[in-house]
């Protein structure tokens, strides 16, 4: 019996030592993983940097857009040189900004920022592929599509043309807005697009409208309380 008990003790001790060694090995691997990036993370950061550069180029080209530059919808002299281009990104920027503004209007300024945000969430994540909640990601993408579409349509219904002949919501927003307005009228279409925007916001951000209403009500009540206190003094 004594020999059997001693053998059991030795087995338990060896098992405890092996578990400790495994923990130490796992800790060392985590430390080394934090110190150096894996192959997929290196590739992900490289892709993110490329997308970041493309988004910056898009924003700069949109900000320096000039309707007199040669583009998809504007034909200019064939001998026009790069020095005569007003866009800060040259011919490429003139064509990119003209295409985006023609398609999406003023909502084009939001598009590069949204793409950059989605790229950061995908390529700079610190979790594994199994840890991704694809249902939540799908709802976020759907929310962005709903919000972006509604903004383009609402801008088109304002009948603003900040860039010459371009609609403020682009061809995309103008086409949908004209079709919906023909079926529901201007007021009905406006209410529908506002509803679509309201639905898309919690899908994209996860913020509840009840929370927004509570915080807004608290701010308004605080302002009225402050005004009443000032009047009493």
């Amino acid at each position: 019996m004594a020999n059997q008990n001693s053998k059991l003790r030795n087995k338990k001790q060896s098992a405890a030592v092996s578990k400790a060694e495994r923990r130490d090995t796992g800790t060392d691997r985590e430390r080394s993983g934090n110190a150096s990036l894996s192959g997929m993370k290196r590739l992900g950061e490289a892709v993110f940097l490329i997308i970041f550069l493309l988004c910056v180029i898009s924003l700069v080209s949109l900000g320096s857009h000039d309707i007199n530059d040669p583009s998809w919808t504007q034909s200019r002299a064939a001998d026009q040189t790069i020095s005569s281009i007003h866009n800060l990104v040259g011919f490429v920027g003139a064509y990119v900004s003209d295409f985006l503004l023609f398609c999406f209007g003023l909502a084009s300024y939001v598009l590069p920022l949204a793409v950059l945000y989605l790229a950061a969430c995908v390529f700079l994540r610190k979790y594994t592929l199994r840890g991704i909640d694809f249902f939540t990601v799908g709802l976020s993408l759907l929310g962005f599509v709903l919000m972006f579409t509604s903004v383009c349509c609402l801008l088109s219904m304002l009948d603003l043309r900040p860039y010459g002949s371009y609609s403020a919501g682009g061809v995309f927003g103008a086409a949908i807005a004209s079709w919906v307005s023909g079926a529901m009228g201007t007021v009905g279409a406006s209410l529908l697009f506002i509803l679509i925007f309201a639905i898309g916001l919690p899908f994209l951000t996860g913020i509840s409208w009840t929370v927004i209403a509570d915080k807004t009500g608290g701010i308004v009540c605080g302002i009225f309380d402050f005004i009443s206190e000032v009047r009493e003094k």
Side-chain angles (χ1 to χ4, degrees):
M1 292 293 293
N3 292 330
Q4 290 179 355
N5 291 332
S6 62
K7 287 179 181 180
L8 289 174
R9 285 196 217 98
N10 293 331
K11 287 181 180 179
K12 290 180 180 179
Q13 290 176 357
S14 60
V17 170
S18 62
K19 287 182 181 179
E21 290 177 351
R22 289 174 185 173
R23 288 197 209 99
D24 295 337
T25 304
T27 305
D28 294 337
R29 286 178 181 175
E30 290 178 357
R31 290 175 180 174
S32 61
N34 293 330
S36 61
L37 297 175
S38 62
M40 291 302 296
K41 287 185 178 180
R42 293 176 187 178
L43 180 61
E45 289 198 358
V47 174
F48 173 76
L49 290 175
I50 294 173
I51 294 176
F52 176 78
L53 178 61
L54 293 176
C55 291
V56 171
I57 290 174
S58 300
L59 287 174
V60 174
S61 63
L62 286 170
S64 58
H65 176 75
D66 194 297
I67 59 175
N68 295 319
D69 290 339
S71 56
W72 299 100
T73 59
Q74 301 290 336
S75 59
R76 293 292 180 264
D79 59 346
Q80 194 170 12
T81 59
I82 296 178
S83 59
S84 61
I85 302 297
H86 299 87
N87 199 293
L88 297 178
V89 195
F91 280 103
V92 175
Y95 276 85
V96 169
S97 61
D98 181 77
F99 176 77
L100 291 176
L101 291 172
F102 176 76
C103 292
F104 306 112
L106 296 177
S108 300
Y109 290 93
V110 182
L111 194 59
L113 299 176
V115 172
L116 185 62
Y117 172 75
L118 293 175
C121 293
V122 173
F123 296 107
L124 298 182
R125 65 177 185 269
K126 296 182 180 179
Y127 43 83
T128 59
L129 188 62
R130 294 180 180 178
I132 301 176
D133 187 357
F134 289 99
F135 182 72
T136 303
V137 173
L139 285 179
S140 299
L141 292 174
L142 177 61
F144 169 74
V145 172
L146 292 175
M147 293 180 67
F148 187 77
T149 303
S150 61
V151 168
C152 289
C153 294
L154 289 172
L155 288 173
S156 297
M157 295 181 67
L158 294 176
D159 198 19
L160 298 175
R161 299 187 181 274
Y163 296 102
S165 60
Y166 301 152
S167 172
V171 176
F172 176 71
I176 298 176
S178 62
W179 180 74
V180 177
S181 297
M184 301 180 61
T186 304
V187 176
S190 301
L191 293 175
L192 177 62
F193 294 137
I194 292 173
L195 175 62
I196 292 174
F197 181 89
I199 293 173
L201 181 63
F203 281 4
L204 177 62
T205 62
I207 300 175
S208 174
W209 278 107
T210 56
V211 176
I212 296 175
D214 290 339
K215 291 185 177 181
T216 304
I219 293 172
V220 173
C221 291
I223 293 173
F224 279 111
D225 292 339
F226 176 76
I227 295 173
S228 61
E229 290 178 0
V230 171
R231 287 181 177 180
E232 290 176 358
K233 292 180 180 180

